[in-house]
Amino acid sequence: MVEIELDGQKVEVPPGSMVMHAAEKAGTYIPHFCYHKKLSIAANCRMCLVEVEKAPKPMPACATPVTQGMVVRTQSDKAVKAQKSVMEFLLINHPLDCPICDQGGECQLQDLAVGYGGSGSRYQEEKRVVFHKNVGPLISMQEMSRCIHCTRCVRFGQEIAGVMELGMSHRGEHAEIETFVGQSVDSELSGNMIDICPVGALTSKPFRYQARTWELSRRKSVSPHDSTGANLVVQVKNHQVMRVVPLENEAVNECWIADRDRFSYEALNGPDRLTQPMLKQGGEWKTVDWQTALEYVGEGLRQIQAEHGANAIGLLASPHSTLEELALAGALVRGLGSANIDSRLRAADFGNAAPAHSARWLGLPIAELSTLQRVLVVGSNLRKDHPLFAQRLRQAVRHGAQLSALIAAEADWAIKRRHTLLADSRQWVGALAGIAASVAAEKGVSAPVAAEVNDTHRAIAASLLGGERKAVLLGNAAAHHEKASSLLALANFIAEHTGASVGYLGEAANTVGAQLAGALPGQGGLNAAQMLGGAVKGALLLNVEAQDTALGLDGLQKAEMVVTLSPFKTNLEVSDVLLPIAPFTETSGSFVNAEGRLQSFHAVVRPLGDTRPGWKVLRVLGNLMRLPGFDADSSQAVLAKALPGVEQGALVPAARLDNRSQATIDTTPAQTEPVVASIYQLDALVRRAPALQLTADARRARAEEGAAA
């Protein structure tokens, strides 16, 4: 450790640290713009100038390495004078538009100008004007005259997002931050540039001019999209969600969120919202009250139960539903005497399930993804399926990790891959068996199954046999694969003989939670494919749409009654009843993310119209059916019963997380390709967010679907 004196206080920091790091440890604030704890050091704003004893001039705290015995003064006359001089330069060309700036009220430049700016400027010349730019539907660059060239956005693209989409052109007073050749900003993490911009140069295009920051209430929540479980701050005005930004949590999402976490809120007040219960009568939809709708559902279920038996009733639940909704959905179905409930809507191999009362999971804490040294990813478009996991693995690779992939088609992960094994998805078991056989040959053990081996197999095996911290990660396509059991068995063999962990990246916000809540078929129960194939007479769809399933909903056309519980007007062709349930912003609930972390949240706005929280609707329906166990008066009570002993924010006990597999490995080619949702078709919210549907990723996915059709 190196000891320095900072404003008369002794501070010890590791060798190689900068003065800024010492100040952070001591709790001393040094004004800055370009410095960010997650980005490389640029030292180009000069706002952090401090006095260093024996140095001839003030030095930038962010770029001055500590030395033993160094004496630093951050608030001396020399330091403050230097900082005020820098502020004067920064304000030369900055427009005086704080009253109309979206950043007003949360602007670093505005805040620091109060302490370090003058009451007037000595410069009388005209301020420069930078022409606005259109870089896509998410980020507004309409006021680039405000830019102070801190280059945070440029470094974010290079280092965190992995794509240098912005750069600085020209020099001196002609310098501009821009894309090149008129390109748009298309990264799936691009919205973070808005957060890290210290001025109002980059702002949110959907939020632009919607509200002032001091008018907004700020409430914590959890992302309902992918399995990261990103922590959010939802900002509300007049009982309407206006903006979503990240809540820092180093163990989960650090200080970043994906664009679908940030912009999907647009769907919450869109024209598709279902605000009143509806019944289909004579082929036409009629609005009714809750009592009428629930009694109709209850009577219909009783009639089907009497005529066809309880096994003719089934429930399909989206893994984006809350743990409480899934637990009560399972209790409702089982209370009726049926074992037909499933949340594996896109799966093809339903035999690949964890032991009862446990779940498939990531296999390691999310934070450890950043420190891995060897990684094999199987069946995932990592960057688009799991943007924040990809970001962590990107940091691992930047620090020397070797990343290998088994995928069906070449894809730009914005990460340097050491080895890529391209194979038709139907041949993945044989391809992974080749890697397993190569590992077995190196370790001198018997291969789990006979397989052809090539140089790429051997190279991936050699990579996994090196290093210390390792993981074999199965993506969405591997989880939904027709031979998912064989892929998991091979991954376990490879992990066992290389010292790696094995795990699933996880598709949805509550993929792990759905398994723990028992949203899986019981003994003799029908799985999702069987129910979607028309094997039930009465079906309940919890947050499920045709796009959420591998087979669509056409198989339910012949059912006697289909009940859709959703925040949106959907499934109109197959449904007989629509019950409006609350999205994640209008209900309390919990998600369990890929690493098994339980995260609960509260409603941030009141329900729209006659919408009701899903868990309350299921509880009342259970009461109407006179089923036992539907007496909970809060979502917390439902959670305590569904997942006893697990505290908010804590990890589920390891005994309930199980990726082991005893499956027999079948290397014959699969008959079908796995069904995987594209980045902005993952769930009902992102599908209805206008800005997200205008992005390059969404347009590309629609074009590919059109070509396939």
Side-chain angles (χ1 to χ4, degrees), residues 232-297:
L232 310 176
V233 174
V234 180
Q235 301 184 348
V236 175
K237 178 184 176 184
N238 296 333
H239 301 288
Q240 185 171 331
V241 176
M242 304 299 292
R243 184 166 63 165
V244 175
V245 295
L247 174 65
E248 185 170 353
N249 185 337
E250 280 296 314
V252 180
N253 56 300
E254 300 177 84
C255 55
W256 316 119
I257 54 174
D259 287 349
R260 62 185 170 200
D261 304 327
R262 184 184 302 272
F263 296 107
S264 65
Y265 73 88
E266 284 189 290
L268 297 170
N269 298 294
D272 266 7
R273 278 300 299 271
L274 176 66
T275 57
Q276 290 179 293
M278 300 180 77
L279 297 182
K280 187 187 287 183
Q281 296 178 335
E284 293 187 8
W285 285 100
K286 307 288 186 183
T287 298
V288 298
D289 59 62
W290 271 105
Q291 187 70 21
T292 302
L294 290 173
E295 287 180 354
Y296 181 90
V297 172

Side-chain angles (χ1 to χ4, degrees), residues 153-165 394 398:
C153 56
V154 178
R155 285 175 286 143
F156 172 85
Q158 286 178 296
E159 299 163 17
I160 306 300
V163 185
M164 186 176 175
E165 296 180 296
R394 191 172 293 122
R398 288 183 67 219

Side-chain angles (χ1 to χ4, degrees), residues 29-248:
Y29 178 74
I30 298 177
H32 60 273
F33 295 111
C34 69
Y35 171 77
H36 190 282
K37 64 183 178 181
K38 295 290 183 180
L39 303 176
S40 62
I41 291 168
N44 52 8
C45 78
R46 317 308 283 186
M47 190 64 211
C48 64
L49 292 175
V50 294
E51 181 183 356
V52 178
E53 196 172 83
K54 298 181 182 177
K57 59 183 180 180
M59 305 292 287
C62 69
T64 302
V66 295
T67 58
Q68 185 65 35
M70 175 186 278
V71 178
V72 180
R73 301 181 183 90
T74 68
Q75 297 169 12
S76 66
D77 290 343
K78 185 176 183 179
V80 172
K81 184 178 180 182
Q83 292 161 356
K84 287 186 174 181
S85 297
V86 169
M87 178 59 73
E88 186 176 18
F89 282 124
L90 290 173
L91 294 176
I92 290 173
N93 281 310
H94 197 79
L96 298 174
D97 63 350
C98 293
I100 63 160
C101 177
D102 262 0
Q103 195 88 347
E106 54 185 14
C107 172
Q108 281 181 261
L109 184 67
Q110 194 177 51
D111 292 343
L112 292 178
V114 173
Y116 298 92
S119 57
S121 174
R122 292 183 288 175
Y123 295 89
Q124 303 301 317
E125 293 80 9
E126 289 186 3
K127 292 178 180 286
R128 80 169 194 158
V129 175
V130 178
F131 190 69
H132 63 80
K133 302 162 181 69
N134 183 9
V135 294
L138 305 181
I139 297 177
S140 171
M141 294 181 75
Q142 293 292 309
E143 288 91 9
M144 288 306 291
S145 298
R146 299 170 183 161
C147 178
I148 61 171
H149 304 148
C150 70
T151 70
R152 279 186 179 184
C153 56
V154 178
R155 285 175 286 143
F156 172 85
Q158 286 178 296
E159 299 163 17
I160 306 300
V163 185
M164 186 176 175
E165 296 180 296
L166 294 177
M168 186 180 291
S169 61
H170 313 302
R171 300 188 69 180
E173 69 172 8
H174 302 293
E176 294 185 26
I177 298 290
E178 60 182 337
T179 61
F180 292 95
V181 203
Q183 294 179 342
S184 55
V185 174
D186 298 324
S187 165
E188 62 285 347
L189 297 173
S190 64
N192 293 291
M193 295 179 183
I194 299 166
D195 295 332
I196 62 175
C197 180
V199 295
L202 303 180
T203 54
S204 168
K205 191 170 279 189
F207 175 68
R208 184 175 162 81
Y209 295 150
Q210 295 299 303
R212 307 299 299 182
T213 58
W214 52 85
E215 298 175 316
L216 301 173
S217 300
R218 291 160 173 80
R219 294 155 190 176
K220 298 177 183 179
S221 192
V222 179
S223 168
H225 304 301
D226 62 37
S227 60
T228 308
N231 291 198
L232 310 176
V233 174
V234 180
Q235 301 184 348
V236 175
K237 178 184 176 184
N238 296 333
H239 301 288
Q240 185 171 331
V241 176
M242 304 299 292
R243 184 166 63 165
V244 175
V245 295
L247 174 65
E248 185 170 353

